[in-house]
Amino acid sequence: MYLYSLTLQRATGAVCAVIGSFSGRDSKKAAASGSSSTQEIAVARGSTLELLRPDPETGRLRTLLSVDVFGVIRSLAQFRLTGASKDYLVVGSDSGRLVILEYSPDRNRFDKVHQETFGKSGCRRIVPGQLLSVDPKGRALCIAALEKQKLVYVLNRDAAARLTISSPLEAHKSNTLTFSLTALDCGFDNPVFAAIELEYAESDRDPTGQAADQAQKHLTFYELDLGLNHVSRKASEPIDNGANLLVTVPGGADGPSGLLVCCDNFVLYRNQGHPEVRAVIPRRADLPAERGVLIVAAATHRQKSLFFFLLQTEYGDIFKADLEHNGDTVSELRIKYFDTIPVTSAICVLRSGFLFAASEFGDHALYQFRDIGRDVDVESSSATLMETEEGFQPVFFQPRALKNLFRIDEIESLMPIMDMRVANLFDEETPQVFTACGRGPRSTLRILKPGLAISEMARSMLPAEPIAVWTVKKNINDMFDAYIVVSFANVTLVLSIGETIEEVSDSQFLDTTHSLAVSLLGEDSLMQVHPNGIRHIREDGRVNEWRTPGKKTITKVGSNRLQVVIALSGGELIYFEMDMTGQLMEVEKQDMSGDVACLAIAPVPEGRQRSRFLAVGSYDNTIRILSLDPDDCLQPLSVQSVSSAPESLMFLEVQASVGGEDGADHPANLFLNAGLQNGVLFRTNVDMVTGQLSDTRSRFLGLRPPRLFPCIVSHRQAMLCLSSRPWLGYIHQGHFLLTPLSCDTLESAASFSSDQCSEGVVAVAGDALRIFTIERLGETFNETAIPLRYTPRKFVILPKKKYLAVIESDKGALSAEEREAAKKECLEASGAAENGNAKMENGDGLEEGYEENNTLPDEQYGYPKAESERWVSCIRILDPRSRDTTCLLELQDNEAAVSICTVNFHDKEHGTLLAVGTAKGLQFWPKRNLSAGFIHIYKFVDEGRSLELLHKTQVEEVPLALCQFQGRLLAGVGSVLRLYDLGKRKLLRKCENKLFPRTLVSIHTYRDRIYVGDMQESFHYCKYRRDENQLYIFADDSVPRWLTAANHIDFDTMAGADKFGNIYFARLPQDVSDEIEEDPTGGKIKWEQGKLNGAPNKVEEIVQFHVGDVVTCLQKASLIPGGGECLIYGTVMGSIGALLAFTSREDVDFFSHLEMHLRQEHPPLCGRDHMAYRSAYFPVKDVIDGDLCEQFPSLPADMQRKIADELDRTPGEILKKLEDIRNKII
Amino acid sequence: MQASDRFNINSQLEHLQAKYVGTGHADLTRFEWAVNIQRDSYASYIGHSPMLAYFSIAENESIGRERYNFMQKMLLPCGLPPERDED
């Protein structure tokens, strides 16, 4: 079996983010105007590197570039050479190489400037890559490993002002762990790097534990002597043992230099030869005393005469830290409560007054600063620090509503996907993907639908059902459209666009008939084509009318700005052209052999008088290209036969592009698109000179013949295809994409541009006129989120009612009642305090604040922390259509739900029941421990909307896996596989097998086979013998696998994913499978024994692939109607991918060769070898990486040609192949 | 060092042990081996961010706290070393 792997939704979580002027854009302009240059944010999302730019006007973040680097990005840093206007990006990855990238805005790509190899690849303990820091003046960078190694590179520039990099200087220290690394800002003195280090050699040798107790963290300064080209360990000072993070303090003329050392509960100011300044981090009042407060993210804001730090704690509270200093002497460190936002993995402060928060889980956000925390607030200071016998005196605060920040945009993130199902619960054309995402109070159930989201601006009802709609401008130079023209069966309605949209009658359009076409003609005249003629409305109001000869009527029209072709009934074509005086003149006539099905004229090329091509579709299943040149007017140039009669034709001109932010290099191209009556969209390239058709592609769009309409998307020509659902064909980052829109069937559409909405679409459907815009281009899915209460663990679809049953649980949180009580209590407390304040200051604002306090959303602030062995959990029944929760059962007594399944017991007394496995008092450290496990059996009441507990059976271990099997319930209880039957008061044990190595985490069944997944030991294939009532393990895997997800593929095959980010298929060899099935007595399996306590037979791993992300769910499904099934997976980082099985050997050969060439010609950006990455844990086997293949279109044209030559194909054919295989998946 | 020494198996091993932390030797104890494996594991968990996220979901801690905990555990990953026999 060969598979094609394709990521459908790239990882949406963020690992780290840095800010910089990577494009260097506007720097000259900005320097002139005095403002700063544009800033971009580089975000690492696992193995993808993204560049985002906030739009200061709209306040939205736009993705400029997203590139898969086929490696693990662990750290990012940005730097600028002195005097330069552009920042470089340094990437620390798992490649054992240091990579410096430069963003090229003209070609919209990252260019590798330097790639320095220093060690082995992989995320290793002593190979640098985890920690990275650059001197603020861009003179040197230091890249470090968690242990021992630190390498310093000197950065410089050569005579041509190109960046140069030295060979590395070593600053290693054995047996030493590094917690954090940063560069000091010491102006133009020698660069100094500081690290928090901990030496372990002593404690490894001392059995008494004294050395370990006394192990002391040190703050070590490394100085790079630029003159001697040498790194020396300048000083090493003991530091608080809770230190975890270093933040550079501005130096030189801007500040005192030195460092902020963030420790558990404290922030310290340190510098060489400066006494320590210590301040305590304020604590939330409800935090249990044994918990520390750790800073997890930090950002520095610098203005001319001012700098401060924003430090975020692990609970989400942001503190503003600032220093009172006089020259180089710091006298006071103040930490003031700023605001609370969800916990981030990185925060970036932009000069334009925005704050980008890359959330560690859930949606990312862009905030705008309303203030910089100048108001009075809870503050701790080094000056007022109190030390008592119990240690330093803490300072307490209550989180409050946002005061300094204001959220203006959100970027959706699925991270982490905990469970996923693909099903068509809404009875739509394509199935929906249901994902349980997020953590704690920010958990959601997200419904993903393939396609682009639309946002509706207006919808108004019309008196009857319209058949067509157009928009026209009055003048070609107008920014906005002037009229919307709607045609009904026998009247035409004209609406004028202004402040409002209203009907007008002075437009000169003929309103007593239906219209066939309405458009702008020439510079400033309008044309209306109706069945009996062409009405040409001149700018001054004169109307010229051309009438059809005899009783003939016009059936079809094709036009562009200067040319019009009409088809009369009977099949006569008449061609008009606009002459110099603006008159529409008849030029030529031609009789076609039969009726014309559709017409289209290509747009007038830039600087030309006319377009040369007319496309005519006929009912004999052909499309002809006719010439419109005066010397061979209406003569055929080429003919294309198609599978069904064409219904609609459209030329789409793709203008030449030299890259830039929204396109890749490509020459100008003309495409002819045809919607055929069998629902297929046919797309072919038209030679701009000869009119020959080549490179045809077709795609099934829906049940209705697609009708094609031009529109504008991000300033480019695009195409709307209206079949049983609407599709949009557009160009995004150099790729032509054909994507469905998430809305119902539309009848007719036109582009729409007005004051309020610059790029919209007006469409008619039923008797409604709708105006909408298309959002978030380039995305594969659009999502709707339903909030949940706790981290969702698993969910099942209840088959009959199409409801979802979700189990949610959280560790270390208080139960709902306790939370309520605590909230009330703290509100009263804070209310009293605020009232106290209110007397001192003016009361109004604070009263308001008090009101807001009442509704502090948990999504923003998180649940209050409880002791880590406390669990809260609930079971929820959800109706995904109405998004209502119909039933929510909160579990009591520290129980946590861990598994769920629906089961039909064979006695059929209760019908479908819901089985939920729970664990009480579950603890993971130091060893897994629990007070009891239970299996709850629930009965559905109230038509499946609600649950009623039937009974609850105690088990001795955690029941992590449940599955229905032959009218009974199979449960994996710890390492025991047990078969239960339903009893009156509890479940009855029927049969069990205790021979599994660790803990069962998945059970799948097929006929009498049971496929069991073990937490550490991969799959075990079992058989149930009904007559003997026994379970046997007859085969297992020889590889230890820490299973995180499993799915049944076929009788002999299972797909699994392990914790290290691999997907594999395990298959029982055919002969073994046959042997087992042909053993009627079962005696053979029963007495057969394997070696070393294993099963007698072994499965073979036939597919291996390293995804590079923990896969949490696998499902075999088809995402398109009539498409083949593929294996869909979801990951912790919030990506969704698919593995599709190839159906022909030819395709396998083609794609494996393409992959091979791309590996050679286009090595991954961050220096990791592609093959080595995909084989990180097990050699990749029989999987072709579609993500690499899809980078083919982004290669330079000559390299594309070179690879295509090697494959004996043209680049166009390769692109078509890539498109075809993608269309088979989504 | 003489030229012939460089190809001596012992000196090669010494070179490896000096260069790569955790290279074993004939007298490696069970404890030393385990400590080394644990440190490697923690370093790998920290390096692979999805794995770190996976752990922090299980523990319901923030990723930053989880990373810090793992770093701290690298000090004494297997508890105190056993008493050595003085021979």
Side-chain angles (χ1 to χ4, degrees):
Chain A
M1 181 171 7
Y2 285 87
L3 300 173
Y4 184 76
S5 152
L6 189 68
T7 305
L8 304 177
Q9 163 88 57
R10 283 188 174 155
T12 45
V15 178
C16 46
V18 291
I19 195 154
S21 306
F22 298 109
S23 65
R25 271 269 167 92
D26 303 333
S27 51
K28 278 179 201 146
K29 226 193 294 169
S33 67
S35 72
S36 45
S37 56
T38 34
Q39 288 184 307
E40 288 94 18
I41 305 164
V43 185
R45 303 180 183 276
S47 68
T48 45
L49 184 61
E50 261 188 31
L51 197 64
L52 308 176
R53 177 184 289 167
D55 186 334
E57 272 143 44
T58 59
R60 307 202 74 166
L61 278 166
R62 201 158 66 88
T63 307
L64 292 182
L65 174 64
S66 171
V67 50
D68 203 329
V69 302
F70 306 106
V72 181
I73 303 174
R74 296 151 81 190
S75 49
L76 292 176
Q78 132 284 345
F79 73 91
R80 177 182 295 205
L81 294 173
T82 31
S85 60
K86 190 174 180 184
D87 288 350
Y88 291 96
L89 184 67
V90 196
V91 185
S93 68
D94 67 338
S95 59
R97 288 167 165 160
L98 175 78
V99 172
I100 299 182
L101 302 174
E102 181 182 7
Y103 176 65
S104 149
D106 305 329
R107 288 180 300 164
N108 192 31
R109 50 178 283 187
F110 280 115
D111 294 316
K112 211 186 288 180
V113 185
H114 284 290
Q115 173 173 301
E116 298 296 313
T117 309
F118 50 68
K120 290 188 183 185
S121 60
C123 292
R124 291 166 198 264
R125 176 152 59 119
I126 58 158
V127 179
Q130 184 71 42
L131 304 166
L132 185 62
S133 179
V134 192
D135 174 64
K137 293 279 183 269
R139 296 169 297 166
L141 70 86
C142 182
I143 184 164
L146 290 178
E147 183 177 323
K148 187 179 169 184
Q149 297 203 13
K150 281 182 202 70
L151 296 171
V152 177
Y153 289 87
V154 181
L155 304 167
N156 217 325
R157 66 176 109 200
D158 63 8
R162 281 178 308 217
L163 177 71
T164 62
I165 186 164
S166 71
S167 43
L169 305 168
E170 292 186 356
H172 300 345
K173 186 155 193 295
S174 295
N175 301 331
T176 305
L177 304 171
T178 311
F179 281 72
S180 179
L181 174 79
T182 194
L184 263 69
D185 186 354
C186 40
F188 287 101
D189 294 344
N190 278 335
V192 177
F193 296 95
I196 301 172
E197 292 185 342
L198 176 63
E199 203 183 319
Y200 65 69
E202 274 301 304
S203 18
D204 270 7
R205 282 195 297 267
D206 178 20
T208 61
Q210 205 179 359
D213 289 342
Q214 288 169 356
Q216 178 64 49
K217 282 186 191 167
H218 282 81
L219 180 66
T220 311
F221 295 92
Y222 292 90
E223 181 175 347
L224 167 67
D225 193 319
L226 285 171
L228 296 173
N229 202 26
H230 173 73
V231 182
S232 62
R233 207 179 156 84
K234 203 175 163 198
S236 186
E237 301 161 1
I239 193 160
D240 190 297
N241 261 340
N244 73 312
L245 185 70
L246 295 176
V247 185
T248 310
V249 174
D254 304 331
S257 183
L259 298 159
L260 285 188
V261 184
C262 306
C263 311
D264 220 358
N265 292 326
F266 298 102
V267 178
L268 324 174
Y269 171 79
R270 291 292 288 258
N271 200 1
Q272 287 165 278
H274 190 286
E276 183 179 278
V277 182
R278 179 186 287 255
V280 65
I281 305 173
R283 296 170 69 86
R284 283 193 185 190
D286 57 6
L287 203 61
E290 73 274 11
R291 287 199 67 103
V293 182
L294 201 68
I295 301 293
V296 295
T300 313
H301 177 73
R302 298 171 75 151
Q303 277 173 358
K304 265 186 189 132
S305 57
L306 168 90
F307 65 87
F308 62 85
F309 310 92
L310 293 179
L311 308 173
Q312 189 178 33
T313 68
E314 58 185 312
Y315 311 109
D317 305 313
I318 296 183
F319 294 97
K320 176 188 168 186
D322 57 1
L323 294 167
E324 190 72 48
H325 66 100
N326 186 2
D328 286 352
T329 319
V330 172
S331 52
E332 192 184 353
L333 167 64
R334 282 186 301 259
I335 300 177
K336 187 195 261 184
Y337 176 55
F338 192 73
D339 260 338
T340 299
I341 62 171
V343 188
T344 63
S345 47
I347 45 180
C348 301
V349 179
L350 283 83
R351 272 196 300 254
S352 44
F354 293 110
L355 180 130
F356 173 67
S359 300
E360 55 169 29
F361 294 107
D363 296 349
H364 313 299
L366 187 70
Y367 294 87
Q368 189 161 28
F369 281 98
R370 283 196 290 198
D371 197 1
I372 50 170
R374 281 173 293 210
D375 288 358
V376 179
D377 232 315
V378 175
E379 185 179 76
S380 87
S381 158
S382 60
T384 57
L385 187 68
M386 297 270 281
E387 194 170 5
T388 61
E389 275 175 12
E390 290 131 37
F392 294 98
Q393 203 65 40
V395 174
F396 293 101
F397 75 98
Q398 270 304 325
R400 51 154 168 74
L402 291 182
K403 204 156 104 182
N404 297 303
L405 296 173
F406 175 70
R407 196 176 70 204
I408 52 171
D409 193 20
E410 236 177 351
I411 306 181
E412 284 154 348
S413 165
L414 297 174
M415 179 175 181
I417 300 180
M418 300 294 289
D419 201 0
M420 175 192 74
R421 290 278 183 292
V422 182
N424 195 350
L425 298 190
F426 297 163
D427 296 321
E428 287 176 355
E429 212 160 280
T430 53
Q432 304 86 43
V433 184
F434 295 86
T435 54
C437 310
R439 193 179 74 163
R442 300 185 82 207
S443 305
T444 48
L445 184 96
R446 297 188 191 220
I447 305 165
L448 309 184
K449 294 180 189 174
L452 295 169
I454 62 165
S455 75
E456 199 163 84
M457 316 273 291
R459 176 197 281 255
S460 55
M461 289 300 153
L462 296 169
E465 290 206 2
I467 49 174
V469 65
W470 300 270
T471 50
V472 277
K473 291 177 181 176
K474 272 188 178 159
N475 189 306
I476 194 160
N477 298 320
D478 282 356
M479 284 270 284
F480 303 125
D481 291 319
Y483 297 117
I484 298 177
V485 183
V486 185
S487 169
F488 298 89
N490 47 19
V491 283
T492 298
L493 181 74
V494 183
L495 306 167
S496 103
I497 305 169
E499 290 280 291
T500 56
I501 293 173
E502 51 200 24
E503 192 178 341
V504 287
S505 50
D506 60 348
S507 60
Q508 305 266 25
F509 284 117
L510 192 64
D511 56 3
T512 54
T513 172
H514 84 262
S515 304
L516 293 168
V518 172
S519 69
L520 179 76
L521 214 55
E523 295 272 300
D524 51 9
S525 59
L526 301 174
M527 174 188 73
Q528 177 191 21
V529 183
H530 52 87
N532 296 317
I534 303 176
R535 193 176 171 92
H536 184 197
I537 305 160
R538 304 293 291 264
E539 190 254 340
D540 49 12
R542 279 183 295 155
V543 174
N544 298 344
E545 186 105 21
W546 178 90
R547 297 209 163 270
T548 51
K551 295 215 156 165
K552 287 189 170 177
T553 53
I554 301 176
T555 55
K556 301 287 176 218
V557 193
S559 71
N560 61 22
R561 209 162 49 77
L562 297 170
Q563 298 158 291
V564 182
V565 173
I566 55 166
L568 298 182
S569 48
E572 192 181 358
L573 285 184
I574 305 177
Y575 171 51
F576 299 86
E577 234 175 61
M578 197 161 196
D579 66 6
M580 289 303 180
T581 61
Q583 287 275 15
L584 203 57
M585 303 298 286
E586 186 177 323
V587 178
E588 186 66 59
K589 271 187 197 177
Q590 171 88 16
D591 252 329
M592 301 301 282
S593 49
D595 264 342
V596 171
C598 46
L599 286 174
I601 303 183
V604 182
E606 197 92 8
R608 297 282 189 87
Q609 273 292 309
R610 60 176 73 81
S611 159
R612 185 155 178 240
F613 305 119
L614 164 71
V616 183
S618 320
Y619 288 106
D620 58 357
N621 296 0
T622 55
I623 299 171
R624 290 183 170 78
I625 300 285
L626 306 184
S627 167
L628 294 178
D629 272 359
D631 36 340
D632 57 351
C633 199
L634 297 187
Q635 294 308 305
L637 292 173
S638 58
V639 181
Q640 171 79 47
S641 71
V642 286
S643 56
S644 166
E647 167 84 12
S648 172
L649 287 170
M650 195 186 120
F651 281 98
L652 189 65
E653 193 184 22
V654 177
Q655 275 155 0
S657 158
V658 285
E661 268 159 26
D662 34 30
D665 278 343
H666 56 80
N669 251 329
L670 187 65
F671 289 98
L672 174 65
N673 298 283
L676 308 184
Q677 270 179 351
N678 56 7
V680 168
L681 177 77
F682 178 86
R683 204 166 143 250
T684 176
N685 197 347
V686 184
D687 189 299
M688 304 269 261
V689 181
T690 63
Q692 290 301 311
L693 302 176
S694 62
D695 190 16
T696 62
R697 298 169 196 193
S698 49
R699 176 155 194 198
F700 177 74
L701 296 191
L703 300 171
R704 288 172 52 175
R707 271 155 307 135
L708 312 178
F709 300 93
C711 66
I712 305 281
V713 162
S714 50
H715 314 295
R716 287 155 174 273
Q717 276 295 333
M719 170 177 68
L720 272 170
C721 317
L722 307 182
S723 177
S724 48
R725 56 181 170 149
W727 293 67
L728 181 73
Y730 65 108
I731 294 193
H732 182 76
Q733 295 189 347
H735 298 257
F736 180 81
L737 300 177
L738 192 62
T739 318
L741 298 181
S742 282
C743 69
D744 352 319
T745 312
L746 301 177
E747 200 63 37
S748 169
S751 71
F752 176 80
S753 171
S754 81
D755 217 1
Q756 289 91 11
C757 156
S758 61
E759 260 177 20
V761 174
V762 55
V764 289
D767 58 354
L769 181 79
R770 303 168 61 177
I771 297 172
F772 58 84
T773 56
I774 299 164
E775 296 199 322
R776 302 214 181 249
L777 296 168
E779 305 245 316
T780 324
F781 296 104
N782 72 79
E783 56 186 68
T784 14
I786 305 169
L788 301 177
R789 189 178 277 184
Y790 308 119
T791 312
R793 301 289 163 170
K794 281 179 181 144
F795 70 94
V796 289
I797 294 172
L798 307 175
K800 261 188 209 150
K801 288 285 172 186
K802 296 185 175 172
Y803 292 159
L804 305 178
V806 191
I807 50 171
E808 302 160 35
S809 53
D810 262 337
K811 186 172 182 268
L814 298 169
S815 68
E817 297 100 67
E818 288 169 314
R819 282 201 309 272
E820 273 310 309
K823 216 172 215 177
K824 216 175 254 171
E825 196 177 295
C826 86
L827 268 181
E828 276 159 19
S830 74
E834 298 241 349
N835 289 341
N837 281 343
K839 277 175 201 158
M840 288 186 280
E841 300 167 30
N842 66 10
D844 303 346
L846 285 159
E847 277 307 324
E848 224 176 82
Y850 179 68
E851 286 303 316
E852 278 171 34
N853 265 344
N854 270 326
T855 55
L856 284 186
D858 289 319
E859 294 87 58
Q860 180 95 3
Y861 300 94
Y863 289 140
K865 293 275 175 191
E867 301 78 25
S868 65
E869 65 273 17
R870 295 269 294 261
W871 284 85
V872 284
S873 181
C874 66
I875 306 168
R876 180 192 296 263
I877 305 286
L878 191 81
D879 180 358
R881 272 151 299 184
S882 64
R883 304 186 202 173
D884 289 338
T885 297
T886 57
C887 170
L888 184 88
L889 294 179
E890 185 103 13
L891 298 183
Q892 303 298 326
D893 293 341
N894 211 6
E895 251 185 273
V898 290
S899 54
I900 187 168
C901 86
T902 54
V903 53
N904 286 298
F905 284 100
H906 53 66
D907 64 358
K908 298 197 176 64
E909 189 196 322
H910 297 287
T912 305
L913 298 173
L914 189 71
V916 177
T918 65
K920 187 173 172 180
L922 184 62
Q923 273 175 293
F924 298 124
W925 297 101
K927 242 183 147 178
R928 192 173 69 215
N929 182 5
L930 75 166
S931 48
F934 294 97
I935 299 173
H936 298 218
I937 301 289
Y938 292 96
K939 170 167 95 174
F940 291 101
V941 291
D942 192 14
E943 293 179 342
R945 276 194 282 271
S946 197
L947 292 174
E948 190 183 293
L949 184 70
L950 215 56
H951 54 62
K952 153 173 177 178
T953 310
Q954 183 163 356
V955 291
E956 67 283 5
E957 259 289 348
V958 194
L960 274 176
L962 296 172
C963 184
Q964 179 186 339
F965 179 67
Q966 298 184 349
R968 290 168 169 183
L969 179 69
L970 261 179
V973 179
S975 64
V976 181
L977 179 67
R978 196 174 285 155
L979 195 57
Y980 282 107
D981 209 340
L982 186 72
K984 288 277 176 223
R985 310 189 57 185
K986 63 193 283 189
L987 291 169
L988 311 169
R989 288 186 196 195
K990 288 293 166 192
C991 162
E992 69 178 18
N993 185 327
K994 292 183 173 173
L995 295 172
F996 294 93
R998 306 271 179 226
T999 307
L1000 308 191
V1001 289
S1002 80
I1003 302 175
H1004 292 81
T1005 59
Y1006 189 75
R1007 304 217 299 246
D1008 63 345
R1009 275 194 191 175
I1010 304 163
Y1011 311 84
V1012 174
D1014 188 275
M1015 193 180 262
Q1016 292 179 34
E1017 299 282 348
S1018 190
F1019 292 117
H1020 295 256
Y1021 285 29
C1022 308
K1023 217 172 168 67
Y1024 176 66
R1025 294 236 168 249
R1026 184 175 275 270
D1027 36 353
E1028 293 162 39
N1029 189 30
Q1030 276 185 312
L1031 289 159
Y1032 311 105
I1033 306 173
F1034 65 85
D1036 65 7
D1037 199 346
S1038 52
V1039 185
R1041 291 278 194 173
W1042 296 68
L1043 213 61
T1044 53
N1047 199 260
H1048 178 246
I1049 300 293
D1050 65 34
F1051 193 48
D1052 292 326
T1053 317
M1054 286 296 286
D1058 69 23
K1059 186 169 93 162
F1060 306 102
N1062 306 301
I1063 287 185
Y1064 69 104
F1065 281 34
R1067 176 175 281 176
L1068 191 67
Q1070 193 59 50
D1071 53 330
V1072 179
S1073 177
D1074 291 346
E1075 213 172 280
I1076 283 154
E1077 293 312 303
E1078 282 161 10
D1079 180 18
T1081 59
K1084 202 170 160 217
I1085 325 173
K1086 192 172 172 183
W1087 301 113
E1088 216 174 1
Q1089 284 202 330
K1091 295 182 174 60
L1092 300 168
N1093 301 325
N1097 303 296
K1098 295 291 170 193
V1099 294
E1100 290 170 350
E1101 301 205 335
I1102 53 163
V1103 163
Q1104 302 277 10
F1105 187 67
H1106 180 62
V1107 178
D1109 198 348
V1110 182
V1111 173
T1112 50
C1113 37
L1114 287 168
Q1115 198 194 348
K1116 200 170 68 169
S1118 164
L1119 286 176
I1120 47 168
E1125 285 202 317
C1126 39
L1127 188 69
I1128 316 283
Y1129 62 83
T1131 70
V1132 162
M1133 290 293 287
S1135 74
I1136 294 176
L1139 294 161
L1140 176 75
F1142 281 106
T1143 46
S1144 80
R1145 186 80 219 177
E1146 200 189 330
D1147 279 353
V1148 176
D1149 283 346
F1150 169 78
F1151 281 104
S1152 45
H1153 281 99
L1154 178 63
E1155 189 190 29
M1156 183 186 80
H1157 286 294
L1158 279 164
R1159 275 176 182 156
Q1160 281 166 3
E1161 305 292 339
H1162 183 61
L1165 192 64
C1166 287
R1168 185 83 151 111
D1169 180 63
H1170 177 265
M1171 175 110 80
Y1173 175 66
R1174 291 299 184 198
S1175 312
Y1177 289 80
F1178 297 91
V1180 58
K1181 189 169 187 310
D1182 297 352
V1183 181
I1184 289 152
D1185 187 0
D1187 297 333
L1188 181 68
C1189 295
E1190 289 213 336
Q1191 291 194 345
F1192 179 79
S1194 62
L1195 295 183
D1198 55 333
M1199 198 179 282
Q1200 285 189 16
R1201 220 167 303 119
K1202 188 179 156 202
I1203 293 175
D1205 285 349
E1206 300 259 358
L1207 294 169
D1208 281 336
R1209 286 172 197 260
T1210 63
E1213 281 170 346
I1214 294 178
L1215 293 178
K1216 185 182 169 192
K1217 274 274 196 193
L1218 288 169
E1219 207 171 290
D1220 282 350
I1221 196 148
R1222 192 181 182 96
N1223 292 348
K1224 278 187 196 165
I1225 297 173
I1226 192 153
Chain B
M1 196 199 290
Q2 284 178 345
S4 60
D5 280 353
R6 212 184 316 155
F7 304 105
N8 180 328
I9 184 81
N10 278 328
S11 72
Q12 275 185 21
L13 205 57
E14 270 166 31
H15 171 74
L16 279 177
Q17 276 155 355
K19 191 168 176 195
Y20 300 111
V21 175
T23 311
H25 54 85
D27 298 327
L28 196 76
T29 66
R30 182 193 166 87
F31 177 80
E32 284 163 343
W33 180 84
V35 161
N36 195 41
I37 293 292
Q38 287 295 320
R39 288 206 178 110
D40 280 344
S41 302
Y42 284 127
S44 170
Y45 299 156
I46 294 169
H48 292 99
S49 51
M51 196 117 70
L52 198 58
Y54 190 66
F55 278 108
S56 72
I57 295 164
E59 295 259 324
N60 199 16
E61 293 286 353
S62 80
I63 291 177
R65 169 62 81 172
E66 204 65 19
R67 180 186 298 121
Y68 176 72
N69 285 349
F70 283 165
M71 284 298 299
Q72 291 292 56
K73 280 182 187 163
M74 283 172 83
L75 175 65
L76 270 186
C78 303
L80 294 175
E83 297 278 352
R84 285 219 190 156
D85 300 334
E86 296 297 326
D87 56 335

